[in-house]
Amino acid sequence: IAHASEQRIGNFNAQELANTAWAFAIVDTADRGAFVKVLSARAAEMGLAAFNGEQRRHLHQFFLSVELGANPPTELLAPIGLRDACRQAMADNNPTRMSKLQEDVSYELTRMGIAHVNELCVPGLGYYVNIAILPEAGTSGADADGAALAGRAETTKYAGIVIEVDGPSHYNDERRLRPASEMIRRHLALAGWAVLSVPYWEWDALKSKGKARKAEYLTKLLARAAGSKPGVAQSAAVHSRE
């Protein structure tokens, strides 16, 4: 398929090019030097204006797959200006609101004294993550009354962890993560984040069991990640939705 695409990419329109780029990012086969070069050259030839927002986001995920890979052939990628514009298209696609499920998980983290940021736009990646625990002083969650809660000692221990609160739309009928969600988590992990999932059915099962059981669930989840998480470069500015 890759070889056939390489032969035809010169004739692709914007939608065909974006679809092909996204498909290869999904299956994580974007390490083919010749394919990267041909697709990037076609994108540069067409220019940014040829692509709408969704197409730019798909191209960004392709470029990101290459950049985060082992020994990335970045010299074969499209010019940095085009890549940055596609990354910005991803960052501009911010969520409109938190789900009730996410609000509940965030509330429990705050009650546990774990400061965090909701809907963080991850620097360099452009992805919004549901919940991120950061080491920066002043990072905070919010309690049920909306008051800011200062970070405590637990926050530092869990810094560098992302929690994705996954509703039904993230899963197929067999409760397996959809490929698009798997790709985003792969990118986050390659960038140094420890990514945890709170599936909706597991959290729903805790609703009738009280706050202590919810706290126990989150503590165990975080402890597993804290023991194995890689270091995360977090000196860059972060952007969270107000």
Side-chain angles (χ1 to χ4, degrees), residues 92-141:
D92 289 343
N93 190 42
N94 60 311
T96 55
R97 63 182 298 273
M98 289 193 296
S99 68
K100 293 294 185 182
L101 187 66
Q102 181 182 338
E103 288 178 353
D104 195 27
V105 173
S106 177
Y107 173 82
E108 289 302 324
L109 288 170
T110 296
R111 199 179 64 82
M112 294 163 63
I114 300 174
H116 57 281
V117 174
N118 284 297
E119 301 305 336
L120 174 80
C121 184
V122 180
L125 303 187
Y127 290 133
Y128 282 84
V129 295
N130 291 158
I131 295 170
I133 303 174
L134 305 174
E136 283 87 349
T139 300
S140 64

Side-chain angles (χ1 to χ4, degrees), residues 194-212:
V195 186
L196 301 178
S197 175
V198 176
Y200 70 93
W201 66 87
E202 291 185 3
W203 194 256
D204 285 348
L206 297 171
K207 286 183 177 179
S208 63
K209 300 184 184 299
K211 294 179 179 179

Side-chain angles (χ1 to χ4, degrees), residues 18-212:
N19 286 349
T20 302
W22 190 70
F24 275 80
I26 286 283
V27 298
D28 198 27
T29 58
D31 59 344
R32 290 177 55 94
F35 179 78
V36 171
K37 180 178 181 180
V38 173
L39 190 145
S40 295
R42 177 58 176 162
E45 177 188 12
M46 296 177 70
L48 182 66
F51 302 99
N52 62 30
E54 183 180 41
Q55 292 162 354
R56 293 177 189 183
R57 291 191 289 274
H58 286 175
L59 286 173
H60 166 62
Q61 290 178 307
F62 171 78
F63 297 144
L64 196 58
S65 292
V66 177
E67 292 168 353
L68 293 173
N71 302 313
T74 51
E75 72 280 359
L76 302 180
L77 286 171
I80 188 66
L82 177 60
R83 284 149 52 196
D84 283 347
C86 290
R87 182 178 288 107
Q88 188 60 47
M90 182 65 72
D92 289 343
N93 190 42
N94 60 311
T96 55
R97 63 182 298 273
M98 289 193 296
S99 68
K100 293 294 185 182
L101 187 66
Q102 181 182 338
E103 288 178 353
D104 195 27
V105 173
S106 177
Y107 173 82
E108 289 302 324
L109 288 170
T110 296
R111 199 179 64 82
M112 294 163 63
I114 300 174
H116 57 281
V117 174
N118 284 297
E119 301 305 336
L120 174 80
C121 184
V122 180
L125 303 187
Y127 290 133
Y128 282 84
V129 295
N130 291 158
I131 295 170
I133 303 174
L134 305 174
E136 283 87 349
T139 300
S140 64
D143 64 13
D145 298 321
L149 185 67
R152 300 176 183 173
E154 292 292 276
T155 303
T156 300
K157 180 166 65 175
Y158 299 133
I161 292 176
V162 159
I163 302 174
E164 290 291 89
V165 186
D166 296 320
S169 64
H170 289 272
Y171 297 95
N172 62 20
D173 293 340
E174 298 175 344
R175 288 185 171 176
R176 294 177 61 87
L177 273 177
R178 296 187 184 279
S181 294
E182 288 185 338
M183 171 182 59
I184 291 172
R185 285 158 208 230
R186 183 172 67 247
H187 289 168
L188 288 165
L190 288 170
W193 294 86
V195 186
L196 301 178
S197 175
V198 176
Y200 70 93
W201 66 87
E202 291 185 3
W203 194 256
D204 285 348
L206 297 171
K207 286 183 177 179
S208 63
K209 300 184 184 299
K211 294 179 179 179

